[in-house]
Amino acid sequence: MIRTTFKSMLVLMLLGSSFFAQAQKVPTPKEHFGFNIGDDYQLASFVQTEAYFKKLASTSDRLKYTVIGKTEEGRDQPMLIISSPANLQQLAKYQEISQKLARAEGITPETARVLAKDGKAVVWIDGGLHANEVLGAHQLIETAYQLTTRTDEETMRILDRVIILMTHANPDGQDLVTNWYMKESDPKKRSTGNLPRLYQKYIGHDNNRDFYMLNTKEAQNIGRQLFVDWLPQIMYNHHQTAPTGAVVAGAPYRDPFNYVFDPLLMTGIDALGAAMANRLNAEGKTGYTARNGAVFSTWYNGGLRTTTYFHNIIGLLTETIGSPTPMEIPVVTTRLIPDGNTTNPVTPQKWHFRQSIDYSVSMNYAVLGYAQRHCDELLYNIYRMGLNSIERGSKDFWALSPSKIDAINTKAEAEKPANAPAPAPGNFRGMRYPSVDVYNAVMKDPARRDPRAYIISADQSDYATSVRFVNALINNGIQVHKATAGFTVNGKTYPAGSYVIKTSQAFRPHILDMMEPQDHPNDFRYPGGPPVPPYDAAGWTLAYQMGVEFDRILEGFDAPLAVLPWGVAEKATGKISGSGNGYILSAKENMSFLAVNQLLKSKINVVRITAGPEQGNFFVPAAGKAILEKASKDFGVTAKATSSKFTQTAKVQPSKIALWDVYGGSMPSGWVRWLLEQFQYDFDVVFAPTIDAGNLKSKYDVIVFVGGAIGLNLPDSKQSYQLPANDNITAAEKVNYGRLNKDKSIPAIRQFMQDGGTVVTIGSSTALAYHLELPVKNALVEIQNGKEVRLTNEKYYIPGSILEVDFDAAHPAVWGMKSKADVYFDNSAVFHVAPKSLADGSIQPLAWFSTATPLRSGWAWGQNYLQDGVTAFAANIGKGKLLAYGPEITFRAQPHGTFKLLFNQLYK
């Protein structure tokens, strides 16, 4: 009896302890932070936010705190999983259902409907990616609090039917911005502007352009959750700010959308956009604009929101006004009349941060409410989109695109009868419509079919880079096969270790987007008018950027293939072949440069072969064997042993490298900084004051100026150093303040080259050639009234796209490149070089356009103007030289195919 009573008391104590833990009061934001989220002049740091998230997890049974990885600065990156207590106890079950339906492999529609009925909708909500857009991180705090404390019927339904993944996208940046803002004691002087550095360690705002490449740690952490581990049906990406005269810009978005998308994706975006706008209208929250009310489209891949589209995930973006410092909504008369873009305009008024928080919470609830009402539909539709992709990749399929429509029109015009009647209104060039035969001749042309697969041979010039490309696919949730033995397709033999990417899989849109050209439409405001700029790039085909060699296979085939595990990256393994007293490293392989840097750090004598069949390659003596063997295992270096003696060589020595940057941070410079660190170059980051101080050759051998460093119009030194009126800048930060200028910087750079230094300019910084008064001219001009004027955008316009150029592969600056290669081109510089300078060799063209049709991927209006233009050159200046690369050879650390154009310059 006593024993029974004791057991009963113990059970009651345990139950009471459990009840006490669940009954702990969830702290309000004000109790934790000392202010309400949205209070004027108040921001929370990440340190405070992280502690609050952990408190929510310890006091609420609706929230699980997880860490998805480390940031670039070493902080934990948190993801909160919010749902009902019952759902949280079965997370593995619902995660598996989400994965199975998204991948759609081996599941019948009947089984999919059962799984959809049994599953829970998974919705991703993030914030803080762009840290100076402070609303994003703060709406996460407020929404998490409300979801863990509210007991109204709507919230309880959401918790029952939805699993919410609330992810902080940039912890490092939140601390930087908040600490910067809050350090000013006078609240009215606080500002999130004029930050001393980028709010992501390397790339700042470009952290939202890294999601098909996944270079940075934060992108890798997020990509893992979105594309491998969870595969939500909806993701919602919070940003700032709305166009002037609106409060929110959101879905649906303007055309064009990418033609690889499933139609269900686009109508799903429309439905969620309507749900958000409806809720705001019902709550009297005015100022939501969509479609052509803002610049946002669904063409681009690579953004946090947009990459999800290529995985059949409904991606939502809102750009919302708001600041902890109160602001005014101005009078914008063009937005005051309701239309299909803005159904409920906002009127001029004073605006407080809390209003923006309330808008964000309302829109979060609109999305979550839609998800709980349409839970099984969302789960089934992502399956249906995946199954559609599998079916399209399993048979002959012809996708529609602008170039195919042009081909139909061209063929119809060519076959128009000579006696055809004059065109009538609504007719097509004398014909009512092209015939079905014309349509079939294009759209049933076997050569125009979409590929069934792509084969990346293990036997190619830069195998390690091809593995890096494959890993970008794997980390994006793409299924990859690897050959276990050699095989033959269409008469070509591929060795074991080759990769096969089949398009009969759910994320076929992403595969096509990474390997096929983007076919951007000619998009103009009106016929004959200016082009409508793409939201970001127009073309970016990653296989082209990385110089990956692959074959498009248009029919099914059998081969000895092993399926690689989901989300497990491949390791490039190189080899050392042959025998001899030394080794040759190919300049065609990017990883050779990493190996050379390791060898130089170990004091191994490395030389470069300057003539003969091995021109441009590196020769490493036998003493470097151990380092090469380790490099082969670690990152895929290949080396060929040789006993040949090379008489024409140049000793390779590490250069003292300077990389330009600017107070506040340059994203192109940050990308190069990341890149140089990956390849283990030693370098200094230098700012305008260091350049202006002169005597540069005593410190450096090479200075790199990325795009944005040197423009056509430079200020003078006094204008360059004007500090802002509200000066929060410390003495240490002021040392780097200022910009390059015409009266101090340019003479110092010129003297550096005359003393024997090398200057590398990329993109817009090739304008240095004009400041130095070199005998080159802008090739993209025409004569009007006897004067040269730049071509208008109506005649010539090439936003970010991939173009093919010819290279002088024998020039030392270009060693390792093929004679023709792809470059990333963004209205980049193109030159005409004075004949005399060509004749005397003072300027040597490195890359040029040999055709009138160099476009490979994207949009190139008026590309014929490029023919015979030089887009990269080397110029002798005193004892030194200038390298001018018009194309973006290091763009966002993606175009591995052109990295060596920079690397070649970084040795003595």
Side-chain angles (χ1 to χ4, degrees):
M1 183 70 177
I2 294 174
R3 184 178 297 121
T4 302
T5 301
F6 177 76
K7 285 183 177 180
S8 300
M9 291 176 63
L10 182 60
V11 169
L12 288 172
M13 289 173 64
L14 291 172
L15 288 173
S17 175
S18 174
F19 176 79
F20 177 77
Q22 294 180 20
Q24 291 182 77
K25 182 178 180 296
V26 175
T28 67
K30 186 167 186 177
E31 289 170 339
H32 176 80
F33 296 100
F35 54 85
N36 293 309
I37 299 300
D39 281 355
D40 289 346
Y41 304 111
Q42 297 293 334
L43 288 180
S45 69
F46 176 71
V47 171
Q48 295 169 314
T49 301
E50 180 183 42
Y52 187 63
F53 286 164
K54 290 178 178 178
K55 279 186 181 179
L56 292 180
S58 68
T59 56
S60 172
D61 57 4
R62 303 178 185 180
L63 185 149
K64 180 180 179 182
Y65 180 90
T66 65
V67 174
I68 60 175
K70 292 288 187 181
T71 68
E72 288 289 357
E73 293 183 8
R75 293 174 177 82
D76 285 344
Q77 185 166 11
M79 181 174 79
L80 312 180
I81 306 177
I82 302 176
S83 194
S84 69
N87 290 343
L88 290 180
Q89 291 176 6
Q90 300 186 75
L91 276 183
K93 169 188 172 181
Y94 297 124
Q95 184 175 11
E96 184 180 13
I97 290 173
S98 185
Q99 290 174 345
K100 284 183 175 179
L101 290 173
R103 291 171 180 152
E105 274 198 336
I107 300 175
T108 65
E110 293 74 22
T111 301
R113 290 197 183 278
V114 172
L115 287 171
K117 186 176 180 180
D118 192 31
K120 306 294 181 183
V122 181
V123 176
W124 170 286
I125 299 175
D126 64 64
L129 184 68
H130 291 159
N132 61 349
E133 300 169 8
V134 294
L135 176 62
H138 287 73
Q139 60 81 26
L140 281 182
I141 300 168
E142 182 65 24
T143 304
Y145 169 69
Q146 294 202 26
L147 286 170
T148 53
T149 57
R150 284 173 54 169
T151 56
D152 57 279
E153 188 176 348
E154 180 186 31
T155 299
M156 302 312 290
R157 286 198 307 265
I158 288 170
L159 294 171
D160 180 54
R161 301 216 68 193
V162 182
I163 294 169
I164 308 151
L165 309 177
M166 300 194 72
T167 306
H168 198 304
N170 183 10
D172 299 344
Q174 186 184 358
D175 268 348
L176 173 68
V177 172
T178 292
N179 294 340
W180 182 258
Y181 182 84
M182 296 299 293
K183 74 176 183 178
E184 176 60 61
S185 58
D186 183 351
K188 294 186 178 181
K189 291 183 179 180
R190 291 174 181 166
S191 171
T192 58
N194 211 34
L195 294 169
R197 61 180 178 86
L198 297 170
Y199 50 70
Q200 196 278 351
K201 181 177 179 180
Y202 296 101
I203 56 174
H205 196 86
D206 260 5
N207 62 359
N208 196 26
R209 303 295 186 271
D210 189 33
F211 285 94
Y212 63 67
M213 196 72 193
L214 301 175
N215 277 322
T216 55
K217 288 183 172 62
E218 293 89 343
Q220 292 164 10
N221 299 338
I222 290 171
R224 178 81 194 185
Q225 300 305 313
L226 285 173
F227 308 133
V228 178
D229 287 353
W230 272 101
L231 300 163
Q233 296 80 56
I234 301 172
M235 75 83 65
Y236 181 7
N237 181 213
H238 283 262
H239 280 270
Q240 290 184 272
T241 185
T244 305
V247 176
V248 183
Y253 310 102
R254 70 172 180 86
D255 287 335
F257 63 79
N258 200 297
Y259 306 119
V260 299
F261 295 157
D262 193 290
L264 267 173
L265 177 77
M266 301 311 300
T267 51
I269 294 171
D270 290 352
L272 265 297
M276 298 167 81
N278 278 347
R279 184 166 189 124
L280 292 180
N281 286 339
E283 295 177 353
K285 293 183 170 75
T286 59
Y288 188 97
T289 192
R291 298 183 181 88
N292 292 320
V295 300
F296 310 106
S297 70
T298 50
W299 177 260
Y300 174 65
N301 198 337
L304 176 49
R305 161 190 62 114
T306 58
T307 305
T308 61
Y309 297 149
F310 300 85
H311 298 73
N312 303 322
I313 297 169
I314 298 172
L316 302 172
L317 162 78
T318 54
E319 299 267 353
T320 310
I321 66 170
S323 167
T325 302
M327 55 185 291
E328 298 285 342
I329 296 180
V331 178
V332 180
T333 56
T334 55
R335 290 190 183 272
L336 291 177
I337 300 297
D339 60 15
N341 300 319
T342 310
T343 58
N344 193 1
V346 66
T347 55
Q349 59 188 274
K350 192 177 188 67
W351 194 265
H352 296 274
F353 195 35
R354 182 64 204 194
Q355 291 172 273
S356 298
I357 296 291
D358 291 340
Y359 268 64
S360 296
V361 172
S362 291
M363 291 186 290
N364 286 338
Y365 261 77
V367 172
L368 297 173
Y370 182 96
Q372 69 87 9
R373 290 190 301 274
H374 300 276
C375 173
D376 54 346
E377 178 185 315
L378 287 165
L379 286 162
Y380 183 79
N381 282 357
I382 199 171
Y383 160 78
R384 185 68 252 183
M385 286 186 273
L387 183 61
N388 290 345
S389 285
I390 292 171
E391 291 173 348
R392 289 167 187 153
S394 303
K395 62 184 180 182
D396 289 346
F397 187 83
W398 289 262
L400 292 166
S401 67
S403 62
K404 289 179 182 174
I405 303 307
D406 288 344
I408 292 171
N409 289 338
T410 299
K411 187 172 180 61
E413 179 71 15
E415 297 182 4
K416 184 176 67 175
N419 59 352
N427 284 8
F428 172 78
R429 300 177 186 173
M431 300 171 62
R432 184 164 297 278
Y433 299 106
S435 69
V436 174
D437 288 342
V438 169
Y439 170 85
N440 287 336
V442 174
M443 291 306 300
K444 300 300 180 183
D445 179 358
R448 297 178 187 266
R449 287 173 292 171
D450 287 352
R452 301 279 187 92
Y454 301 90
I455 302 177
I456 300 174
S457 177
D459 183 17
Q460 61 178 285
S461 58
D462 192 351
Y463 176 69
T465 293
S466 74
V467 174
R468 177 68 182 86
F469 171 76
V470 167
N471 284 339
L473 298 180
I474 290 172
N475 293 335
N476 258 277
I478 301 301
Q479 184 181 75
V480 175
H481 292 75
K482 190 173 185 178
T484 57
F487 64 99
T488 301
V489 177
N490 296 336
K492 181 175 178 179
T493 299
Y494 300 90
S498 297
Y499 294 101
V500 175
I501 298 98
K502 297 184 178 181
T503 60
S504 57
Q505 55 180 294
F507 304 150
R508 176 177 178 270
H510 189 75
I511 298 169
L512 296 179
D513 206 59
M514 294 295 98
M515 306 200 76
E516 295 289 312
Q518 281 74 55
D519 190 0
H520 196 283
N522 292 324
D523 188 13
F524 296 93
R525 297 191 188 281
Y526 51 85
V532 179
Y535 171 58
D536 194 88
W540 50 84
T541 309
L542 186 59
Y544 293 179
Q545 289 195 68
M546 296 184 71
V548 175
E549 300 160 8
F550 64 91
D551 292 310
R552 302 169 78 251
I553 309 300
L554 302 183
E555 297 175 346
F557 64 93
D558 293 320
L561 304 176
V563 181
L564 299 182
W566 294 109
V568 179
E570 285 283 278
K571 185 174 182 179
T573 302
K575 60 182 178 180
I576 299 177
S577 60
S579 60
N581 59 4
Y583 304 89
I584 292 175
L585 294 175
S586 172
K588 294 179 181 179
E589 299 184 30
N590 285 341
M591 288 304 172
S592 293
F593 292 88
L594 174 53
V596 166
N597 290 337
Q598 293 186 343
L599 290 161
L600 295 177
K601 291 177 192 294
S602 297
K603 309 301 182 184
I604 303 295
N605 291 321
V606 179
V607 298
R608 202 141 196 198
I609 304 164
T610 58
E614 300 289 351
Q615 184 185 55
N617 294 335
F618 300 94
F619 177 78
V620 180
K625 181 179 180 181
I627 293 173
L628 291 178
E629 287 178 337
K630 187 174 188 304
S632 178
K633 294 176 183 177
D634 289 349
F635 47 84
V637 162
T638 60
K640 180 176 64 177
T642 182
S643 295
S644 300
K645 295 187 181 298
F646 302 99
T647 57
Q648 292 179 285
T649 62
K651 186 175 181 180
V652 177
Q653 300 179 70
S655 288
K656 292 177 287 185
I657 302 166
L659 171 63
W660 168 89
D661 207 334
V662 65
Y663 177 91
S666 156
M667 290 183 288
S669 179
W671 278 118
V672 174
R673 180 160 49 97
W674 180 90
L675 177 62
L676 294 180
E677 288 179 9
Q678 300 302 305
F679 281 84
Q680 298 182 18
Y681 286 95
D682 294 327
F683 64 97
D684 291 339
V685 176
V686 298
F687 296 81
T690 298
I691 300 294
D692 292 355
N695 197 26
L696 294 169
K697 190 61 184 72
S698 66
K699 307 170 190 173
Y700 302 109
D701 301 306
V702 181
I703 305 177
V704 180
F705 294 101
V706 296
I710 304 172
L712 283 171
N713 298 308
L714 290 176
D716 62 32
S717 56
K718 291 182 180 179
Q719 294 170 325
S720 177
Y721 286 90
Q722 289 180 348
L723 292 170
N726 181 19
D727 184 7
N728 280 342
I729 303 172
T730 66
E733 292 158 350
K734 286 179 181 177
V735 171
N736 296 327
Y737 202 85
R739 295 184 178 274
L740 298 179
N741 55 84
K742 59 188 177 185
D743 55 326
K744 286 188 177 181
S745 306
I746 298 301
I749 295 168
R750 184 196 301 271
Q751 189 63 52
F752 170 73
M753 287 184 284
Q754 289 176 338
D755 292 341
T758 296
V759 167
V760 179
T761 57
I762 301 172
S764 63
S765 286
T766 56
L768 178 62
Y770 300 127
H771 292 292
L772 297 174
E773 299 180 335
L774 297 183
V776 298
K777 296 171 64 175
N778 185 352
L780 302 174
V781 297
E782 61 182 348
I783 303 298
Q784 289 185 4
N785 299 322
K787 294 183 179 181
E788 285 189 350
V789 295
R790 189 176 182 88
L791 291 168
T792 64
N793 285 353
E794 287 85 348
K795 293 182 178 180
Y796 168 83
Y797 183 68
I798 305 181
S801 296
I802 311 296
L803 306 186
E804 183 181 70
V805 299
D806 289 45
F807 280 103
D808 179 4
H811 194 287
V814 186
W815 280 343
M817 297 294 295
K818 297 178 181 178
S819 59
K820 289 183 179 290
D822 296 325
V823 298
Y824 187 86
F825 190 93
D826 187 7
N827 284 315
S828 301
V830 183
F831 304 92
H832 283 154
V833 181
K836 181 181 178 181
S837 298
L838 294 174
D840 65 20
S842 59
I843 294 183
Q844 308 106 47
L846 303 177
W848 59 89
F849 296 100
S850 62
T851 75
T853 55
L855 178 66
R856 290 269 283 156
S857 178
W859 185 19
W861 181 254
Q863 61 176 311
N864 56 290
Y865 286 103
L866 295 172
Q867 187 163 13
D868 299 326
V870 171
T871 194
F873 65 83
N876 299 326
I877 299 178
K879 298 177 183 178
K881 59 184 175 179
L882 168 69
L883 281 302
Y885 295 114
E888 298 289 344
I889 61 171
T890 57
F891 184 70
R892 294 173 179 164
Q894 295 171 6
H896 287 237
T898 52
F899 286 172
K900 57 184 67 72
L901 295 174
L902 172 63
F903 294 164
N904 280 332
Q905 321 316 320
L906 303 182
Y907 305 100
K908 293 182 183 177

